[in-house]
Amino acid sequence: MTLWGGRYRGSSDRRMRRFCDSIAFDHRLKTVDVKGSIAYANALQQAECISLDERELLLSGLQRILQEFEAGEFLFVEEDEDIHTAVERRLTELVGQVAGKLHTGRSRNDQVATDLRLYLLEQIALLDGALAALQTAIVTKAQMHLGVIMPGYTHMQQAQPLLFSHWLMSFFWKLQRDRERLAESRKRTAVMPLGAGAIAGHPFGVDREALAAELGFRAVTQNSVDAVGDRDFVVEFLAWAGLLQVHLSGLAEDLVVWSSREFGFLAVDEAFTTGSSLMPQKRNPDALELMRAKTGRIVGHLVTMLAVLKGLPSGYCKDLQEDKEAVFDAVDTLCEELRLAAQIVLTLQIDGDRMAAALDEAMLSTDLADYLVRKGVPFRESHRLVGLAVRRAEDLGVALSHLPWEEYVAIDPRFERDLHGVFDFEMSVNRRTAVGGTARGAVETQIARAQLLLNHTRSTRE
Amino acid sequence: MTLWGGRYRGSSDRRMRRFCDSIAFDHRLKTVDVKGSIAYANALQQAECISLDERELLLSGLQRILQEFEAGEFLFVEEDEDIHTAVERRLTELVGQVAGKLHTGRSRNDQVATDLRLYLLEQIALLDGALAALQTAIVTKAQMHLGVIMPGYTHMQQAQPLLFSHWLMSFFWKLQRDRERLAESRKRTAVMPLGAGAIAGHPFGVDREALAAELGFRAVTQNSVDAVGDRDFVVEFLAWAGLLQVHLSGLAEDLVVWSSREFGFLAVDEAFTTGSSLMPQKRNPDALELMRAKTGRIVGHLVTMLAVLKGLPSGYCKDLQEDKEAVFDAVDTLCEELRLAAQIVLTLQIDGDRMAAALDEAMLSTDLADYLVRKGVPFRESHRLVGLAVRRAEDLGVALSHLPWEEYVAIDPRFERDLHGVFDFEMSVNRRTAVGGTARGAVETQIARAQLLLNHTRSTRE
Amino acid sequence: MTLWGGRYRGSSDRRMRRFCDSIAFDHRLKTVDVKGSIAYANALQQAECISLDERELLLSGLQRILQEFEAGEFLFVEEDEDIHTAVERRLTELVGQVAGKLHTGRSRNDQVATDLRLYLLEQIALLDGALAALQTAIVTKAQMHLGVIMPGYTHMQQAQPLLFSHWLMSFFWKLQRDRERLAESRKRTAVMPLGAGAIAGHPFGVDREALAAELGFRAVTQNSVDAVGDRDFVVEFLAWAGLLQVHLSGLAEDLVVWSSREFGFLAVDEAFTTGSSLMPQKRNPDALELMRAKTGRIVGHLVTMLAVLKGLPSGYCKDLQEDKEAVFDAVDTLCEELRLAAQIVLTLQIDGDRMAAALDEAMLSTDLADYLVRKGVPFRESHRLVGLAVRRAEDLGVALSHLPWEEYVAIDPRFERDLHGVFDFEMSVNRRTAVGGTARGAVETQIARAQLLLNHTRSTRE
Amino acid sequence: MTLWGGRYRGSSDRRMRRFCDSIAFDHRLKTVDVKGSIAYANALQQAECISLDERELLLSGLQRILQEFEAGEFLFVEEDEDIHTAVERRLTELVGQVAGKLHTGRSRNDQVATDLRLYLLEQIALLDGALAALQTAIVTKAQMHLGVIMPGYTHMQQAQPLLFSHWLMSFFWKLQRDRERLAESRKRTAVMPLGAGAIAGHPFGVDREALAAELGFRAVTQNSVDAVGDRDFVVEFLAWAGLLQVHLSGLAEDLVVWSSREFGFLAVDEAFTTGSSLMPQKRNPDALELMRAKTGRIVGHLVTMLAVLKGLPSGYCKDLQEDKEAVFDAVDTLCEELRLAAQIVLTLQIDGDRMAAALDEAMLSTDLADYLVRKGVPFRESHRLVGLAVRRAEDLGVALSHLPWEEYVAIDPRFERDLHGVFDFEMSVNRRTAVGGTARGAVETQIARAQLLLNHTRSTRE
């Protein structure tokens, strides 16, 4: 028996049912579905659609179902199309025909949209916590290795020396933006569609604002047609997830490359690597590689949802059912990944000596150009002169600091004997003092700001 | 001659240059590039990197270049790799070697990121205005046809009667969310990377906060590694654009279907249709179809950017250059499309008679079930009983209102003689009085709220 | 205990293991994995890496495992990372240390690529059969309703009359291309990577060609580095699936629109619709809507895989593990969908009267223009003249055939009294006799060709 | 004046026209459009729709237009919506009203599909040539450095030693598959839609097969509804392009990483690098990075097209116009990129000494395990024993070959004095003799096969 059997003569095709039913995945909405029904029963009673006694009966049944869910004792049956029908079926078994009153003025169209939002609100809180934990790991690690200098890269070529901690903190800010975006999209997720019915709105005078308040929504939808078909919050979430994944893939890429034998700047803790079935010597950074790859997975979900929504007519269409698996998988993937990322960052083994050994004096070319700038040479000119010096040093097969002073003077007389003072990586780093620069002081300020932000969210989170 | 020639021996491959150069598209950043340089010249002088006289010289040259851009007199030459080198080359022609001082402490890495943000901030303002204009068109049209009732659809099957204006207003709220999102992503776009240099930060003590203020940014980036490689604002913009496109595609789909001969609910004004080269009778809603199709285009850009960023190492990589064409095209497409959409909505010819004629009484089945609910029948039971009535009416080939009372009673005695009062589309509509419902009063409230929002943004926009 | 434990000191992190392990989904490769091992045992024996007795022992164990899989008696344990380790673990339990010889010269890198190809080859055969069945349903249905005329649409506006069967047959050819593509991508899937080892090739003289023949591959890979990292066959399959989905989404869209009350051209059999939880009258074409929506899902998988592969270094990376879930889900989705589509097509209820009633004479405008063409008027001119007639008829509110002859003559004297012979939908249809046209004879030829193709594949399929 | 003005009263909106017109990009179809018209004029004459004289007039005008295109003298005017109307307008200017006969039985729907296919057939030939040239560069380079041994990587960790040429040849086979796929998709592109009209077919008895033969198509479409809406060939092309891009991105990634200072295995020729505006020492592999990034661009186009097509109704819709820009850009991008890739490969500076120096003995662990296997130890057991040796060597801080024999024996007595013979990278390489392995002989065979394939296509290409 289905919810919608009255007008139907025969029964529906079994294969069709399997194809259309969503119970295989939307059972994950079970708790929020029941919570929504509890609040809705209250609202129906307040609107005098049901009596106080009927409400009590419904609530007792719904509470019992919640308990069955928690205890793992709820039995799904073949006919349960989706979580809503499963709950209604069980409620009928428990409290009889009064269960049929719970659907008064409510459609699965507004119900499922409400459920998915409630679910996502819970997950957003968890994800924000996991993000904060990863940020904390980053800050902790950055403080731990504050003196370590490493080559900074652009185009994967050595560019300028950096503090390792400065590099690491760059991910703090990416994650900070992710958290800002998550909070913003949360606002729009916390808008309640319940009471929109199938498409036209609610005819029994339910107080939607009160209902929203009871369920923890911050507002109600303003148009029932929009309410049942709106999946903006899903797209927003998946786009958010895709961008977060891009950040994680960047972190993974850096760590994979730097833990290669050739770079050797750091090692991923053994606990987060795996071996090879063929090659006894291997320690593979599998977790990081998957972190990189999951970006494809989540971007795939985003594309799925955008393509599903493209060109859909107004109101509810069954196409929207494709929203759930994408959301569930994105949530699961990211929760796991963020926790893992925090542990990997915390346990990274940093090899400051290898980093130091890798520093090439050519990276101080800009500093050498700046040296001329300080003597009044226009930067473009000094850039050209240093370029000639780099070439000359290359031709002679010597490091820039070993290029004799005479050679420098031959290029330009404004090179003076003090030029060799430039060849100091630490000084180079510490010259970048402007806000956001790699100078030690600037990085300390940066870390302090990051901690302020972390403390702030810690104190404001419920 | 290039900016980076010093260390180079030979010249670069011409084909490679064509492949790598960005001048073919980034010339669109010309104005913001010069504005950025003007502010930077001021900042260099304040940091005492250049003298007051040098600043004046630079500013006079930059102002002259701005004028040349405006007058269309700026001549690009073969060697101009990108807009930055074009401007620097011209500046050198105009003011001599002092032009070379403008690059002190600045890299194209931080410069291009600053330019693109400045450009996008300008375009966001225009796009928000175009969104508001489309919203205004929707509200105007909704008010104009307030009494018109049409079938509401779910699954493209008639579901429940709706006010045409209620349907139309559903797009107001989608666009309202788009505007909220745009404002939020604007916040993160308005953060200045200038002063991050190539990757390590600024060594000449420039006051980045003052520089940001002069350029209209609301904050400065906090980490130079992040600053040069961060394209979150591009992804955010494209994801925003993709979701807006989904909304526009939905509007287009409804209008295309409803302007078919078979629906005939409305006609797109002739000015926004095109004819056929073969079939003399045709009036095709080409503009709407393209509006639907552009969703694919913009989603494509979003995927481009996410795939480009996936797995990139930290710092600047040339890969990032792919950001600009995607952004430019998305901006152009949406600006044009939004203006067109507003005109199409305003000039829609609504055929209220066809809509009324299309209303099928079966759509009042829910009202009939609600009738029983009001008599105390649980909704699930009343739903089943009405289903039987629908089937019976179908078997007899009559409309639901013409099914004799005896037939109803045979199904269930709780059907009474007053049941036929249910068969009134206007009453059905006006029963949905809860917030966001289709009742006339509720729609009037909805429109009033929409106008408040529009007035609010109108008054707060600079 | 893992396969790669020797060099490891501690144990790996549990969370990491859960994140990295693939057993949750790759258990679907269980049968092909064992089959691959059976063939590999034979190959090792032929290469004299193992003795005949050892081979017998291995084969007996592997056969036993196959039986356990079939009987559902195979027990997975916590430590089973993936299907390969699960099988090896169980084999060791069954036959002892000799099991350890089976991995001689084999890595999971070449093994998993071989397994996935074997799996896909099996599924491709099933999918091709399901495609042929859908094609057969289309041909059957097209023959059944050969006389039915309906409006043909471009831009969702009535364009020219068509045979319903002609419209339906258009999907035959789309599917025919899908089958061609599938056969081609099958060729490249049927290339065996086994023997490539981890990356460098096989050092024990195994005869790869013989091994390939035993496993049903048509060739062996020619480069071991390529062999272990190549997922072209996965991308090809997903791109194939995406395009097939586009075709199915087009079929679904037509049927959803045409089964609306306003079109009413056909009805989806009740068995393939579902009702509404709120609205007792509804019959929703859920299965078709999901068929449309699954396009997003499969395109998402394609994007996933392309994004995963983008920028990966050569050789095997763990990122490649993301290939399997995408493939499994695409296979499952399409198998189910194709079977359902065949049933839906076969049971469609065609309403030829509604189609006939919907035919608008304006669709004969091209025929009217062609009438003038036959009198020597250049088509462009006749198109313009008929356009004027359409406008005039519209102004007078009459159908084109009821526009008095005098009105036609007033537009152009080359309109003669015989012009009204044009207004015959059947004649219009039957004039399109060129190959691929909608004339009845042409459609019969088309169907005959289709049947030939179907018979051909039926006879050549093993 | 438009092609479809007759029935129209007012004029169309200018903004709408700009939004809908395609002339800004489809002018690239100009030559094939005229060629199609020339053949069509012949076909019309053979079908006796036009006289021999009329045909001559049309052909003379069309030839003149071709010349104008070639000479760059063709003037487009404001009213030209698309390339078809531009040509028809100009033809009318040149030969008068007879130009209007050329559209007899032809619609822009079948015309544009024919044009795009003709265009793509031309480009496919060019792209195949460019692919062959890149393959030739790879083979040439592989032969040039046949003795060079480098570390082979999985998970970016050293795995087993490889011939550099073996690694390089892995790309030959990827490209070979790309060429196979291109040839297959070419087959389906070479099917002519002309004669399908707007949707219903051709009513004037044109011989489509003869027409196809004249235009170089290998077949004609079998269903007119399918013919005008089918863009499978576009999706196939873009999917092909996306996968080719994935291959190029992999090549780029390897080269970018290996040309880092830390790997230093090779250098990209100076001509294909660019410098930095800030850092005088830099040589950035910009071209390779863009090659990697363009993958995002092309995958974006593929997604665009799939999303555009998803859920489109049958027949022609304006949405299809989005096909052209995606195709044009993909063609341009890949042509340029393939030529550049060939030059970059040919001019790579290989540093065999750095590669040799990077070889870590741990990579010979598998060989050491195989050594035990040859003594009868099951591989799994020998893998474990060598793992212990690796750990022991690590603990003692010595290379595997310097771990004293006693240590080995302590692990397992089956390690004998001859074990040190294993520590020879060249022998390790040369043991992988199976087809596709890295042994020098196997690589020579591989190269010979590759050359055969190249010679074959060279001789069969027209």
Side-chain angles (χ1 to χ4, degrees), chain A residues 149 159-162 359-375 377 379 382-383 386-387 390 400 408 415 418-433 438, chain B residues 104-105 198-204, chain D residues 278-281:
Chain A
I149 297 180
Q160 294 178 337
L162 289 182
L359 296 168
D360 180 8
E361 276 177 0
M363 275 197 295
L364 300 173
S365 302
T366 315
D367 297 83
L368 192 55
D370 289 348
Y371 158 88
L372 289 180
V373 164
R374 289 196 172 83
K375 295 189 181 294
V377 185
F379 179 78
S382 72
H383 179 287
V386 174
V390 169
L400 214 47
Y408 278 107
F415 283 113
D418 60 350
L419 78 89
H420 287 90
V422 159
F423 298 107
D424 179 323
F425 292 107
E426 200 167 330
M427 273 182 51
S428 167
V429 161
N430 284 327
R431 252 182 236 116
R432 271 83 190 160
T433 55
T438 195
Chain B
T104 310
I199 182 168
H202 202 283
F204 289 104
Chain D
L278 183 70
M279 298 168 287
Q281 87 281 10

Side-chain angles (χ1 to χ4, degrees), chain A residues 233-419:
Chain A
F233 69 101
V234 172
V235 173
E236 278 197 63
F237 179 74
L238 295 174
W240 170 84
L243 192 42
L244 168 54
Q245 269 294 158
V246 163
H247 298 155
L248 295 173
S249 82
L251 177 62
E253 176 77 8
D254 283 350
L255 295 179
V256 166
V257 173
W258 295 351
S259 62
S260 70
R261 187 170 190 278
E262 287 70 14
F263 275 82
F265 290 175
L266 42 79
V268 175
D269 190 87
E270 199 184 271
F272 302 102
T273 64
T274 47
S276 156
S277 64
L278 184 70
M279 298 168 289
Q281 87 280 11
K282 291 297 288 294
R283 261 190 208 153
N284 296 324
D286 285 28
L288 291 171
E289 294 174 282
L290 280 179
M291 201 173 293
R292 181 172 61 189
K294 296 291 183 190
T295 310
R297 185 182 188 102
I298 305 299
V299 170
H301 290 323
L302 172 60
V303 169
T304 292
M305 204 59 212
L306 286 164
V308 164
L309 293 174
K310 176 243 156 187
L312 272 202
S314 278
Y316 183 85
C317 295
K318 186 72 168 179
D319 309 62
L320 299 178
Q321 182 170 299
E322 287 293 309
D323 57 0
K324 274 173 278 305
E325 286 163 287
V327 166
F328 295 156
D329 187 69
V331 164
D332 291 349
T333 301
L334 281 169
C335 278
E336 206 55 40
E337 212 174 329
L338 287 169
R339 284 175 195 138
L340 207 49
Q343 288 180 279
I344 290 176
V345 165
L346 269 180
T347 58
L348 278 178
Q349 293 149 23
I350 309 303
D351 190 336
D353 296 340
R354 282 293 298 269
M355 290 180 181
L359 296 168
D360 180 8
E361 276 177 0
M363 275 197 295
L364 300 173
S365 302
T366 315
D367 297 83
L368 192 55
D370 289 348
Y371 158 88
L372 289 180
V373 164
R374 289 196 172 83
K375 295 189 181 294
V377 185
F379 179 78
R380 187 56 59 223
E381 169 72 359
S382 72
H383 179 287
R384 193 182 62 80
L385 298 173
V386 174
L388 294 173
V390 169
R391 192 161 120 189
R392 187 71 187 137
E394 234 176 49
D395 286 347
L396 298 177
V398 298
L400 214 47
S401 68
H402 288 73
L403 188 66
W405 175 65
E406 294 72 21
E407 293 284 350
Y408 278 107
V409 172
I411 290 167
D412 194 279
R414 284 168 293 189
F415 283 113
E416 294 179 63
R417 289 218 174 261
D418 60 350
L419 78 89

Side-chain angles (χ1 to χ4, degrees), chain C residues 297-357:
Chain C
R297 185 182 187 101
I298 305 298
V299 170
H301 290 323
L302 172 60
V303 169
T304 292
M305 204 59 213
L306 286 164
V308 164
L309 294 174
K310 176 242 154 185
L312 272 201
S314 278
Y316 184 84
C317 295
K318 186 73 169 180
D319 309 62
L320 298 178
Q321 181 170 299
E322 287 294 307
D323 57 359
K324 275 174 276 307
E325 285 163 287
V327 166
F328 295 156
D329 187 70
V331 163
D332 291 349
T333 301
L334 280 168
C335 279
E336 205 55 39
E337 212 174 329
L338 287 168
R339 285 174 194 139
L340 206 50
Q343 288 180 279
I344 289 176
V345 165
L346 269 180
T347 58
L348 277 179
Q349 292 148 25
I350 309 304
D351 191 337
D353 295 340
R354 281 292 299 269
M355 290 180 180

Side-chain angles (χ1 to χ4, degrees), chain A residues 31-40 42-43 106 114-115 117-118 121-122 186 190 192-194 208-218:
Chain A
T31 315
V32 289
D33 190 75
V34 177
K35 284 182 183 164
S37 285
I38 289 171
Y40 194 65
N42 289 330
R106 189 172 65 166
T114 303
D115 284 7
R117 286 169 185 260
L118 285 172
L121 289 172
E122 287 178 6
R186 189 197 182 287
M192 186 191 75
L194 196 56
R208 297 184 65 218
E209 258 104 8
L211 185 51
E214 183 175 345
L215 283 169
F217 284 103
R218 64 168 195 87

Side-chain angles (χ1 to χ4, degrees), chain B residues 270-292:
Chain B
E270 200 184 90
F272 302 103
T273 64
T274 46
S276 156
S277 65
L278 184 70
M279 299 168 289
Q281 87 282 10
K282 290 298 286 295
R283 264 193 206 148
N284 295 324
D286 285 29
L288 291 171
E289 293 173 283
L290 279 179
M291 200 173 293
R292 181 173 60 190

